Amino acid sequence: MSKAVNCSVLCLAVLSSILQAQEQRWFEVEMVVFSQTPPQVLQETFGDTVTPIKPGRAFDLLTPRLQPNLLNLLATLPLCAETTSPLLTDKPFFNMLPKQLCIFETQPYSWQHNSLFYTIDAYSEVPYSDHLPALVTGNGKHQLNPYLAEQPSLQLTDIATKINRISGSHVLLHTSWRQAPVTERRAIASRWYAGKNFSQQFDYWGQIKQHTDVDNTETYPTPAISTIDPLSNDYVTSQAPGEQPNELLTNIEQLLEQLQVTGQLGETALSVADTPDSTDSMTLRYLPDQVWQLDGLFKLHLDHYLFVNTEFNLRIPDENSLQTVYVRQSRRVISGEIHYLDHPHLGIVLQIRRYEPPVEDNIESALPIQ
């Protein structure tokens, strides 16, 4: 009886949240971001100062697709035999997968375990690609939180194709997602990145990374190690042995790099992910760990009208460094209309459309399993 009552109360709470979500106005946002070469007659110059963009509380729809959670899969894999275990120093991580799926990481000795149960250490992170595809879509299954829309919902495909045909223009990101806008004070930005991955060659400030390996061979980032306990289903992620950075020293090195590039450690502009009343200062420890060709934030809020705030860093290779073009724009938009946010180096084509979520799918996906 008690179990039935608890289930009824839970179902009523879920249905109440669904009805409340249905009362919100949902929108489908389609965005095409492209780089373009400015005309030679343009006299505008861009300084060498790099304006950091802190993701903050921004919701991220890309990383779960590029960095899937492999812990449940790894928990079911056996350990590889010694004859099939490749050495970490021989090949990069993404080329070390054996023909037979198994875990080949070196395991700690029995006396080194912190648990009474047997645990397995495995690399759980999928390395990022050197270049991301411009088109990013999802399965379109409606959720109560922002989610990627399916590919058939795209309506700016012809415009994206025409942009790619223009000399000096290249589409970096074409995506669509759905969300229910709120007021500016409550709005949370979304983070987007695309294009080439410069993380192996340059740091966040656009300077060439100094490799310390003796034989001048290419270095690769060390993936995190997850300790898998099949009995307790607890997972603890840590850096690989010998690769545990000192947080204080890392922050000092980043400050020195910023000082070398900008010549000063002045205050930086607030990110669009920060609310207007936020007093938190920009800290280097929250900067992205990957250096993408395009990286930034998009915020949509609703105050009688729809408003869009965008903030992106576009990185352009320049001899032995990366030139960073900082683009920050705000625009009031009208639903259904196609808007163009122009900049000599970066263009954004945007359309925000009303979306009616299916009530039946919401109820079926949100009800608890009996």
Side-chain angles (χ1 to χ4, degrees), residues 31 184 187 189-190 192 271-274 276 296-301 303 306-312 327-333 341 348 350 352:
M31 180 174 62
E184 183 177 10
S190 56
W192 302 96
S271 167
V272 297
D274 296 317
L297 303 170
F298 179 100
K299 184 166 74 172
L300 174 69
H301 62 92
D303 291 301
L306 286 173
F307 294 89
V308 166
N309 297 330
T310 63
E311 182 182 19
F312 286 100
V327 182
R328 184 172 183 173
Q329 296 173 308
S330 299
R331 177 76 61 87
R332 171 187 162 186
V333 297
L341 283 64
I348 301 177
L350 187 68
I352 303 177

Side-chain angles (χ1 to χ4, degrees), residues 100-334:
Q100 174 183 343
L101 287 179
C102 55
I103 297 176
F104 52 76
E105 285 81 5
T106 302
Q107 302 300 313
Y109 295 102
S110 57
W111 61 82
Q112 294 176 327
H113 286 286
N114 296 324
S115 173
L116 295 177
F117 302 100
Y118 179 75
T119 59
I120 299 176
D121 286 352
Y123 293 101
S124 60
E125 290 188 356
V126 178
Y128 283 100
S129 173
D130 294 335
H131 192 282
L132 298 181
L135 186 62
V136 178
T137 57
N139 57 20
K141 185 176 181 180
H142 189 68
Q143 307 172 22
L144 299 181
N145 297 318
Y147 63 95
L148 289 172
E150 64 277 11
Q151 185 170 347
S153 68
L154 299 179
Q155 300 182 19
L156 303 179
T157 303
D158 291 341
I159 294 180
T161 302
K162 293 179 181 179
I163 291 174
N164 276 328
R165 293 175 181 173
I166 300 176
S167 178
S169 299
H170 180 67
V171 173
L172 299 174
L173 177 65
H174 184 192
T175 187
S176 177
W177 72 96
R178 295 168 184 149
Q179 67 175 107
V182 293
T183 60
E184 183 177 10
R185 185 179 182 86
R186 296 173 52 199
I188 299 178
S190 56
R191 186 201 172 197
W192 302 96
Y193 50 91
K196 297 179 180 179
N197 188 352
F198 297 105
S199 304
Q200 295 295 330
Q201 300 85 23
F202 301 96
D203 59 22
Y204 189 88
W205 311 104
Q207 301 301 299
I208 295 181
K209 286 187 175 180
Q210 301 296 328
H211 298 283
T212 57
D213 42 329
V214 179
D215 55 356
N216 294 325
T217 57
E218 188 175 3
T219 59
Y220 297 89
T222 304
I225 290 183
S226 295
T227 300
I228 306 172
D229 189 344
L231 296 180
S232 64
N233 290 326
D234 291 333
Y235 304 96
V236 179
T237 303
S238 61
Q239 289 297 117
E243 295 292 340
Q244 300 178 355
N246 185 295
E247 183 175 345
L248 178 60
L249 292 179
T250 301
N251 290 338
I252 293 176
E253 291 176 356
Q254 292 178 333
L255 286 170
L256 291 176
E257 291 174 357
Q258 182 185 12
L259 181 62
Q260 180 181 3
V261 175
T262 64
Q264 58 181 354
L265 294 176
E267 297 182 356
T268 55
L270 284 177
S271 167
V272 297
D274 296 317
T275 54
D277 58 344
S278 176
T279 57
D280 294 337
S281 62
M282 178 70 71
T283 54
L284 297 178
R285 60 179 297 184
Y286 294 112
L287 293 180
D289 57 353
Q290 300 291 313
V291 183
W292 295 103
Q293 183 178 359
L294 176 74
D295 194 350
L297 303 170
F298 179 100
K299 184 166 74 172
L300 174 69
H301 62 92
L302 180 64
D303 291 301
H304 300 293
Y305 300 98
L306 286 173
F307 294 89
V308 166
N309 297 330
T310 63
E311 182 182 19
F312 286 100
N313 272 329
L314 175 67
R315 294 179 169 91
I316 304 173
D318 182 18
E319 296 182 356
N320 294 326
S321 65
L322 275 181
Q323 181 185 7
T324 301
V325 179
Y326 176 73
V327 182
R328 184 172 183 173
Q329 296 173 308
S330 299
R331 177 76 61 87
R332 171 187 162 186
V333 297
I334 300 177

Side-chain angles (χ1 to χ4, degrees), residues 339-353:
H339 296 267
Y340 176 47
L341 283 64
D342 190 20
H343 185 274
H345 287 274
L346 189 69
I348 301 177
V349 180
L350 187 68
Q351 186 181 39
I352 303 177
R353 304 177 289 264

